Amino acid sequence: MFTSVDDVAARLAETGYLASPAVATTVFLADRLGKPLLVEGPAGVGKTELAKAVAQVAGARLVRLQCYEGVDESRALYEWNHAKQLLRISAGRDETWDETRTDIFSEEFLLPRPLLTAIRGDDPKVLLIDETDKADVEVEGLLLEVLSDFQVTVPELGTVTATRRPFVVLTSNASRELSEALRRRCLFLHIGFPDEELERRIVRLKVPGLDEALARSVVRVVGALRAMDLRKLPSVAETIDWARTLIALGADTLDETVVRDSLGVLLKHQEDVLKATAKLDLDAL
Amino acid sequence: MTSPATGVTGVTDGTGVADRLTSLVAALRAHGIRIGTGETVDAAEAVAALGLTDRELLREGLAATLLHSPAQRPVFDPVFDLYFPRGVGAPEGEAAGRDDLRDRLASALAADDRALMGRLAVEAVDGYGGYGSSPGSDGWSSYQTLDRIRPQTLLARVRDEIRARGGSAGFADRLLEDEIRRRIEAFRALVVAEARRRVAERRGRDEIARRAVAPTADRVDFLYAGKAQVAELRRAVQPLARKLATRLAARRRRAARGSIDLRRTLRGSLSTGGVPMKPVLRRRRPARPELVLLCDVSGSVSGFSDFTMLLVQALHDQFSKVRVFAFVNRVDEVTGMLVHGRADPQGLGSRIQAEATLTGWHGSSDYGMALGEFAERYGDAVGPRSTVFVLGDARTNMSDPNLAAVRQIRERARRVYWLNPEPMSSWGTGDSAAPEYAALVEMHECRNARQLSELVARLLPV
């Protein structure tokens, strides 16, 4: 899919995703080694966006499995279409039992769910397994077969093996420790907060109306907030929101009043706001 | 420098890379990072795919294939620097004068030029880090380098330089000093890494990788943790608490599958003509156990008890009642200082010391006296539903251990556990009364965050 690490960075940038060297390298390796990519990091640094960008670059279909507590085989893998099977049985009343039985367990009555969808067919696909840590431990076991051999076993049909391996991205917020077996099968990528220069480029790209000097100040203030000991550190998503807010407020430069009034966009806890206000000397005026 | 600025030096052919890679993996394993053969093979494939031309790409590639969690990264980076160094030997050319070096460092800091700072760190260690008498010098010291270069004194100069250029104006100007401080900190780290590399060249890479690289935060001994490590440990409290909370909740869910409630099953069966179609399970009442923490906060073990207090406080939602008591040689309740979600880790220890009455006539810890006072004054805090954790090293300073008080607490409580931050081998040495206490209550060794989280997950009542 990609020829070099620089190629990854350049093509991701075309879709509007500015990748750090670490991100570009790992995506390149995931493609080369054909291994799933496990992405961890704080909320709002672009984990899900990465999968979307890769899908766009590769011209692939994005298949998404959103995990939540209680997601199970019939939601992740496949399900038999019971209603249709019943209709089929009642439609063919004169048939013998053998004919009916083989008939209702065929592809026609199979409802593929994301994991099966991703490994069937010949078109390129990107499989995004979002918030893997929210799913129960049993689902991880289910993923192991899919991620290591790219195959799914349906007892009535047999084993479906991928003819073309999808590019797999798993994301996690680390609210639960994923099992060692799952981690072992993946390349691990931790996306942290971007460095100052990269974040400035991201903000400028996402908020075109922002001028260079203001973008610089915005990123520096956010950087200072991240160095503080806060309950919830502002993420890239918050930086972009804040930049948009500043444009909406018509602010050309940052000053105490503007920052104080819009701090709520960046910080989501009252005590964080109080702490930041004190540290940035916003009360001075 | 003798090599191209970005590439890896000292590795030329295929076997060289393989050897280098396997010894890197061995060094990482020695630090407790679990890496299987499969991952090593992946790493080799990554090296083949990326080539050796760009060192930073190689670093990211190896990290992606070998590591499994962000906590392992601080160990990986210095080990990588040792096995895949930027250059070997000394830089070429005459050593620059100290003032010249400081001038160039100041402009590098002002421009925030990381690459230049890296080169300056190499020069600085070469010029000012060597000690001993032989021409190549006997060793390299980052401490000595930093002491002579004094990068921290450049703060005002760099600030003025940036301001003069108009690089920082308006609101963000107030952030400038902190930013420069962070850059200076980064330079110090570069010097430390460079000095370590030079030492490794002299004394053998494997030994330095094992000895001179700090372990991951959760394996640091509480009693010997430095300031930075304590800060890192405290940052680890929230995620650790969240993980433990989900684990406790899962245990509770499993415990909820009870036996059949016969009375309600029979009553339900009336609507189906006496046939019990739906068995009703006896629902267990969610037990909300009470927790009592008894913490030694005397200087010697305060890092440990602070951390544990914060952890238990973060788990607060899981328990109906948490009461925390601190003692040195007198005991006082400090539950109020740990308001949920607001606990400020930094000031906690000093606040407890300042606001609670913990010392009587002298300032050293006295377990006998404190436990006796607890049993007497706060005896009613311990009931049949409460689990008591005693945190401390059980060093009584030669006074009476007051085993009667411990016995009294044990009789009242549902469970009593003692977590001791000292290694088990030193229990009972000197003035330690650990064996005496261990005979009465269950005592566990709890030296680092990893052990603590295991113990908490196992011992906390569901």
Side-chain angles (χ1 to χ4, degrees), chain B residues 142-157:
Chain B
S142 58
Y143 176 78
Q144 182 183 309
T145 313
L146 292 170
D147 192 47
R148 296 208 186 145
I149 304 289
R150 294 187 174 278
Q152 66 276 14
T153 55
L154 288 171
L155 177 66
R157 197 169 135 190

Side-chain angles (χ1 to χ4, degrees), chain A residues 2 4-13 17-32 37 50 54 167 187 189 191 198, chain B residues 50 57 60-61 64:
Chain A
F2 300 105
S4 71
V5 176
D6 292 335
D7 180 45
V8 176
R11 283 167 68 187
L12 285 178
Y17 188 94
L18 299 178
S20 67
V23 172
T25 311
T26 319
V27 168
F28 174 71
L29 283 179
D31 176 42
R32 266 302 155 88
L37 181 59
L50 175 63
V54 171
F167 186 97
L187 291 184
L189 171 65
I191 304 189
L198 179 62
Chain B
L50 293 169
L57 290 190
E60 298 302 338

Side-chain angles (χ1 to χ4, degrees), chain B residues 30 85 180 257 287 296-297 363 370 403 431:
Chain B
I180 297 171
R257 294 178 200 143
D296 182 356
V297 292
L403 299 177
D431 59 347

Side-chain angles (χ1 to χ4, degrees), chain A residues 255-257 260 281-285, chain B residues 174:
Chain A
D255 58 46
E256 279 83 1
T257 342
R260 193 171 48 220
D281 294 334
L282 295 180
D283 291 328
L285 292 179
Chain B
R174 67 188 67 188

Side-chain angles (χ1 to χ4, degrees), chain A residues 35 183 188 220 256 280, chain B residues 42 64 68 174 179 243:
Chain A
K35 296 196 92 183
R183 288 175 177 275
F188 177 76
R220 285 179 64 189
E256 279 83 1
L280 292 176
Chain B
D42 285 344
H68 295 136
R174 67 188 67 188
E179 285 173 359
K243 268 174 210 159

Side-chain angles (χ1 to χ4, degrees), chain B residues 82 121-122 124-126 129-131 139-146 188-202 208 212:
Chain B
L82 285 179
V122 173
V125 172
D126 188 59
Y131 58 81
W140 304 94
S141 155
S142 58
Y143 176 78
Q144 182 183 309
T145 313
L146 292 170
R188 298 173 77 102
L190 287 172
V191 168
V192 172
E194 172 62 18
R196 195 190 289 133
R197 181 189 72 74
R198 298 288 288 266
V199 174
E201 245 171 42
R202 232 164 209 291
I208 300 301

